[in-house]
């Protein structure tokens, strides 16, 4: 099952994001290599600066998805004000259905 992580950064924490980005990217590359990551990218504020993240992973259940989310270096660094984890159905433009 797919799960979307909708993450919002804490205000004023851009430097935390920048400092932890290399570890975050390495983490996502690892998820991608194992086939867990479906897609990911930052939300942008009105100035075009990152202010959150959208990450979609495949996991057995919501507990497994929570474990993936909690292991993200951004989460471990305390970047996020909120993380909403929702089951998600990829209907349109899903490459698995192409």
């Amino acid at each position: 099952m797919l799960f979307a992580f909708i993450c919002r950064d804490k205000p004023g924490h851009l430097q935390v994001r920048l400092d932890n980005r290399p570890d975050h990217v390495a983490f996502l590359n690892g998820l991608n290599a194992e086939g867990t990551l479906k897609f990911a990218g930052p939300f942008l504020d009105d100035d075009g600066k990152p202010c959150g993240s959208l990450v979609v992973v495949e996991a057995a259940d919501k507990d497994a998805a929570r474990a993936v989310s909690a292991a993200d270096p951004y989460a471990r660094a305390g970047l996020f004000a909120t993380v909403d984890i929702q089951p998600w159905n990829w209907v349109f433009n899903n490459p698995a259905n192409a």
Side-chain angles (χ1 to χ4, degrees):
M1 175 176 269
L2 297 178
F3 291 88
F5 306 161
I6 302 149
C7 311
R8 299 290 181 182
D9 293 1
K10 292 176 182 171
H13 277 62
L14 180 58
Q15 193 60 51
V16 173
R17 175 177 280 273
L18 297 174
D19 291 346
N20 289 277
R21 188 172 189 280
D23 290 338
H24 169 73
V25 169
F27 173 74
L28 293 180
N29 280 331
L31 293 178
N32 195 45
E34 66 188 32
T36 300
L37 180 67
K38 298 306 172 190
F39 62 85
F43 291 115
L44 303 176
D45 65 16
D46 291 339
D47 296 323
K49 294 184 177 148
C51 62
S53 298
L54 173 62
V55 178
V56 175
V57 300
E58 187 167 356
D61 55 33
K62 198 164 189 175
D63 286 338
R66 279 188 196 107
V68 172
S69 175
D72 185 326
Y74 280 169
R76 290 194 334 255
L79 174 62
F80 300 131
T82 63
V83 177
D84 187 18
I85 300 173
Q86 292 293 318
W88 187 68
N89 184 20
W90 193 346
V91 176
F92 291 96
N93 298 323
N94 181 340
N97 297 334

